[in-house]
C-alpha cells in the first residue's frame, strides 16, 4: 500500500472501533501480536491488512504491523466507516467508465459524488457504485482493502480515478503513486491575476489545528505535516481569476486547495478555503451580481482531475487518459470570457 494512499485515508474522517492503552509493564511487542491478544475474535492476517491500509494507529498516527508497542501507547483501530455500518453494499448508481480490463478500471467521477461511505454519506457513494458494477466479478470484494481505489479525489472535485480489481494490481499501482511515477494534472480556476506564467509551490501539508476538515501548509523543513509539491502554469487569464493547470509531485489531501490558499489565491468558489468571498475585482453591484451568478453556475471548488497516466500493472504499457471539462466548469469559463471581452484591460490593473 502506497504512503500517499495511506495519507488520504489518514486525513479523511475515521471512526474508532477499538482502543487499548498499553500497560506500564508491557515489554516491546509487535503491534499486530499485541492487538491479536486483545482482539480474540480477529486474526493476525486481518490485523496486518488493516495496518497495511492505514487503519492501525498508535498515538493517533498510522503504523505498520512491525511497530513495537511501548508502555503508555494508545493503540486504536480506526476504520473509514462507523462500527455499526461496516459493510459496503452494492448500489445501482451510474458510472462513467473510461477504460476497463481484467486488472483495473478508470472512472470519470462527477462533482458531488462522495468517494467512500462516511459520516452522513453511508449510501450513494462511488464505492457503492463500483461494488454494483463489479458484483459479478468473483475476485472483487468491495469490503477488502486489498482491492479498490488506488487514490482519491474530493467529493466536489470532478475527474479521473483508477480502481484496482486485484490485490496485485493495487500493489503495483500503489507503488507507482508512492514513487511518483504516475502523471496527474488538474485544471483549477483561482482568485488572482498571475503575472508569472508558471510556478512551484512547496510546503508540508497537515491538518489545520483549528479546523479538522481543512488542511494547512507548514514550512518544508518542519516536522509538521507531510512534504508536498505542486507545479502550476497559466492556461487562461480572466483579469480577476486565472485558469491554471496543476501537476502534482505528491498526492496529499486537499493539496492544490491548501497550496493555492497558502499563496493567497484560493480556488474559485472553494468555501472551505475562503474562495466564496469576492477576493478580486470591482466594488460595483453589477460585478458582485456577476460573481454570484458564477457561483450559481458552478457551486463547488473549481477543480477537475483532467489527466491520469500510469503503467499497466500487468503489461507495463503506458496508459494515459484525459477527461474533458464538465459542463459546470465549461459554462463558468464561458461567463468569464464574455465578461472580460466586454471589459477594458485597464480595469484589471489593481
Amino acid at each position: 500500500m502506497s504512503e500517499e494512499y495511506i495519507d488520504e485515508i489518514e486525513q479523511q474522517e475515521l471512526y474508532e472501533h477499538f482502543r487499548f492503552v498499553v500497560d506500564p509493564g508491557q515489554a516491546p511487542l509487535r503491534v499486530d501480536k499485541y492487538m491479536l491478544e486483545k482482539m480474540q475474535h480477529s486474526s493476525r492476517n486481518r490485523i496486518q491488512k488493516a495496518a497495511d491500509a492505514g487503519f492501525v494507529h498508535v498515538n493517533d498516527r498510522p503504523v505498520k504491523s512491525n511497530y513495537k508497542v511501548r508502555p503508555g501507547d494508545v493503540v486504536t483501530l480506526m476504520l473509514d466507516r462507523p462500527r455499526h455500518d461496516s459493510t459496503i453494499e452494492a448500489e445501482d448508481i451510474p458510472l462513467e467508465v473510461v477504460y476497463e480490463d481484467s486488472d483495473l478500471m478508470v472512472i470519470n467521477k462527477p462533482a458531488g459524488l462522495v468517494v467512500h461511505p462516511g459520516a452522513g454519506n453511508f449510501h450513494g457513494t462511488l464505492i457503492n457504485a463500483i461494488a454494483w458494477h463489479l458484483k459479478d466479478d468473483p475476485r472483487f470484494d468491495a469490503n477488502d482493502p486489498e482491492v479498490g481505489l488506488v487514490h482519491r479525489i474530493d467529493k466536489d472535485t470532478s475527474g479521473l480515478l483508477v480502481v484496482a480489481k486485484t490485490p496485485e494490481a493495487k500493489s503495483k499501482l500503489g507503488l507507482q503513486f508512492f514513487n511518483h511515477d504516475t502523471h496527474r494534472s488538474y485544471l483549477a480556476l483561482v482568485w488572482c491575476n498571475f503575472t508569472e506564467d508558471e510556478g512551484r509551490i512547496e510546503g508540508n501539508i497537515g491538518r489545520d489545528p483549528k479546523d479538522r476538515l481543512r488542511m494547512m501548509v507548514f514550512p518544508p523543513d518542519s516536522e509538521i505535516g507531510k512534504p508536498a509539491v505542486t507545479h502550476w502554469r497559466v492556461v487562461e487569464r480572466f483579469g480577476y481569476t486565472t485558469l491554471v493547470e496543476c501537476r502534482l509531485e505528491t498526492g496529499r489531501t486537499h493539496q492544490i486547495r491548501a497550496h493555492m490558499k497558502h499563496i493567497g489565491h484560493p480556488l474559485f468558489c472553494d468555501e472551505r478555503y475562503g474562495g466564496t468571498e469576492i477576493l478580486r475585482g470591482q466594488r460595483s453591484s453589477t460585478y458582485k451580481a456577476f460573481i454570484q451568478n458564477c457561483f450559481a453556475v458552478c457551486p463547488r471548488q473549481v477543480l477537475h482531475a483532467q489527466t491520469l497516466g500510469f503503467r499497466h500493472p500487468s503489461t507495463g504499457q503506458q496508459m494515459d487518459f484525459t477527461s474533458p471539462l464538465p459542463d459546470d466548469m465549461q459554462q463558468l469559463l464561458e461567463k468569464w470570457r464574455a465578461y472580460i471581452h466586454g471589459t477594458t484591460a485597464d480595469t484589471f490593473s489593481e
Side-chain angles (χ1 to χ4, degrees), residues 177-318:
F177 277 84
F178 176 75
N179 291 330
H180 314 311
D181 291 334
T182 59
H183 305 282
R184 287 181 287 169
S185 71
Y186 293 71
L187 284 178
L189 186 70
V190 300
W191 278 107
C192 76
N193 187 14
F194 275 118
T195 56
E196 308 92 340
D197 291 331
E198 59 184 23
R200 180 179 186 272
I201 309 169
E202 181 176 5
N204 290 9
I205 291 181
R207 193 175 297 281
D208 185 340
K210 296 181 180 179
D211 183 350
R212 285 183 52 81
L213 298 179
R214 185 171 61 192
M215 309 304 288
M216 279 187 65
V217 178
F218 301 90
D221 57 352
S222 72
E223 296 183 357
I224 306 174
K226 295 191 175 183
V229 176
T230 302
H231 299 270
W232 60 266
R233 71 172 185 87
V234 170
V235 176
E236 191 171 359
R237 291 182 170 89
F238 302 110
Y240 304 128
T241 60
T242 304
L243 181 67
V244 294
E245 179 190 42
C246 297
R247 292 185 297 104
L248 304 182
E249 280 192 22
T250 52
R252 309 307 182 195
T253 302
H254 295 188
Q255 177 170 323
I256 294 172
R257 300 167 69 187
H259 268 172
M260 286 298 175
K261 167 71 173 179
H262 179 65
I263 65 172
H265 305 315
L267 270 61
F268 191 80
C269 206
D270 188 348
E271 182 175 9
R272 189 163 302 284
Y273 289 88
T276 52
E277 301 293 328
I278 300 179
L279 301 178
R280 299 285 190 279
Q282 307 166 26
R283 297 182 179 181
S284 69
S285 59
T286 302
Y287 178 73
K288 291 179 181 178
F290 165 73
I291 295 299
Q292 293 304 320
N293 287 336
C294 287
F295 289 160
V297 166
C298 189
R300 62 171 177 108
Q301 70 257 11
V302 186
L303 184 62
H304 178 65
Q306 183 184 39
T307 69
L308 174 63
F310 53 85
R311 295 187 311 279
H312 193 279
S314 293
T315 67
Q317 178 185 356
Q318 180 64 31

Side-chain angles (χ1 to χ4, degrees), residues 19-24 26-29 31 34 57-60 63 67-76:
R19 170 181 288 259
F20 311 104
V21 179
V22 180
D23 294 333
Q26 174 69 55
L29 181 67
V31 69
Y34 175 83
H57 289 203
V58 175
N59 303 326
D60 297 324
V63 297
Y67 174 92
K68 292 188 177 180
V69 300
R70 295 168 176 78
D73 278 348
V74 178
V75 180
T76 52

